[in-house]
Amino acid sequence: MAEHPHAALVRKGFEAFSHGDMDTLRELIAKDATHHVPGSHPLSGDFKGQDAIMDMYRRLGEETAGSMRLEMLGIAVDGRGHAVGMCRFTAERQGRKLDDTGCIVVRIVGDKVTDLDECVEDIEKNNEFWS
């Protein structure tokens, strides 16, 4: 059975992020998309527009000296423009290690991602790591 197009889009996005392929991410994300990052740390908040989102992704790589890794655990879709990409992510930063699970709830309109709502299993652990 073929993968649902929304699942394929989310998978392509996760793979592009994992490889630092910002050109592919720009193709997948709408120009006015928003990525919502939970928590109360310097990299949390709402990042509106492709440039702000790409800059936040770049900062994640810089802050972790490229150590951030995503392991895709699964993708769920509703067939109405919503998909959830579940993953385990690990990273090292300033002598600290992060190992957490989370997901990104993705809103898709046409063939573009318009909204990304990130959720993490342990917000306090993430706040401590990124602060």
Side-chain angles (χ1 to χ4, degrees):
M1 190 157 76
E3 185 173 47
H4 189 279
H6 294 161
L9 183 96
V10 170
R11 185 175 311 285
K12 186 175 182 179
F14 269 87
E15 289 171 2
F17 179 86
S18 292
H19 292 101
D21 183 353
M22 296 301 144
D23 291 335
T24 296
L25 286 170
R26 278 189 184 277
E27 290 174 12
L28 301 176
I29 297 173
K31 291 188 185 309
D32 62 347
T34 302
H35 187 134
H36 309 275
V37 179
S40 57
H41 55 79
L43 287 171
S44 65
D46 297 331
F47 297 85
K48 179 80 170 155
Q50 277 183 349
D51 291 340
I53 294 169
M54 295 304 130
D55 186 56
M56 185 263 293
Y57 293 166
R58 178 192 56 76
R59 288 176 56 201
L60 291 173
E62 286 178 358
E63 290 287 330
T64 62
S67 69
M68 187 172 199
R69 300 286 179 262
L70 296 177
E71 174 189 351
M72 176 65 63
L73 301 175
I75 301 171
V77 300
D78 71 355
R80 299 178 298 111
H82 299 95
V84 178
M86 296 153 284
C87 66
R88 174 180 175 223
F89 52 94
T90 58
E92 294 183 25
R93 179 178 179 268
Q94 299 177 353
R96 295 182 294 230
K97 293 184 180 188
L98 178 64
D99 186 342
D100 201 11
T101 55
C103 66
I104 297 182
V105 180
V106 180
R107 173 76 174 131
I108 301 163
V109 176
D111 62 351
K112 298 284 186 189
V113 171
T114 61
D115 201 61
L116 301 107
D117 277 302
E118 191 173 323
C119 300
V120 295
E121 185 173 6
D122 190 333
I123 283 184
E124 292 310 316
K125 181 167 54 172
N126 278 268
N127 283 338
E128 183 180 320
F129 179 79
W130 292 110
S131 293

